[in-house]
Amino acid sequence: RNVTGVQTCALPISEWSLADIEHYGKVIDMAKKKYKFVSENDVGEITGTLDLMIEANIVFLEGLLVGSKFRRMGVGKKLLEQAEELAKEKKCTKIWLETNEGWGSVKFYKKNGYKVTGEHEKHIMNQKTLILSKFL
């Protein structure tokens, strides 16, 4: 048959399981699980947040933001360490993220063991976006 339009049905789960076995040798849990880390100081101010998503055994670091008055105080490093610890507990093999070239975050991630593994030309707001990864 021809495929037309958008279908609201999906293949049976058993078909996905068969494809997993064919490609990976076992059934893979592809459910996306999201986690949020929040850092606070002694007076309860939020100093930073980190959001990540785990799919199969890969972590996508969706966002890491440290409040401007709390930067260069180890907040980002601590959040990143906690994320990496969770990833290892969940038996993940890699963390990856995207950030724009020329941003201070590039230096931060490289300092913490991440390497540039790809790039998107003319990405968000026509800027070059770098893909950084770290194997665990």
Side-chain angles (χ1 to χ4, degrees):
R1 294 184 183 170
N2 291 333
V3 177
T4 58
V6 176
Q7 299 280 329
T8 56
C9 61
L11 285 172
I13 296 295
S14 61
E15 290 297 324
W16 287 110
S17 296
L18 290 172
D20 284 350
I21 292 168
E22 180 182 341
H23 294 117
Y24 305 111
K26 63 181 178 179
V27 177
I28 305 296
D29 179 6
M30 296 296 263
K32 295 177 181 178
K33 298 172 186 89
K34 294 190 173 225
Y35 299 86
K36 183 177 208 71
F37 295 87
V38 178
S39 172
E40 295 180 354
N41 63 13
D42 294 339
V43 295
E45 291 177 289
I46 293 176
T47 58
T49 62
L50 183 145
D51 295 281
L52 62 83
M53 179 186 62
I54 298 176
E55 183 177 18
N57 66 323
I58 304 296
V59 176
F60 174 57
L61 198 157
E62 295 179 323
L64 170 59
L65 181 63
V66 175
S68 56
K69 68 181 184 178
F70 303 110
R71 293 188 183 145
R72 305 203 193 303
M73 300 170 79
V75 173
K77 183 175 180 56
K78 183 69 175 169
L79 286 166
L80 197 56
E81 287 171 351
Q82 290 176 332
E84 290 175 4
E85 185 177 311
L86 173 70
K88 289 174 186 173
E89 287 173 14
K90 300 289 184 184
K91 302 201 183 325
C92 296
T93 57
K94 179 174 88 170
I95 297 181
W96 73 282
L97 61 104
E98 298 174 330
T99 192
N100 284 3
E101 183 179 59
W103 288 8
S105 55
V106 175
K107 183 178 178 182
F108 168 78
Y109 288 116
K110 284 182 174 181
K111 183 178 175 183
N112 284 283
Y114 290 74
K115 295 185 180 354
V116 175
T117 55
E119 57 187 48
H120 300 291
E121 290 290 337
K122 296 184 178 181
H123 204 50
I124 298 171
M125 299 303 295
N126 207 28
Q127 293 187 15
K128 182 187 230 178
T129 300
L130 301 177
I131 300 166
L132 290 100
S133 302
K134 181 177 184 178
F135 291 97
L136 303 171

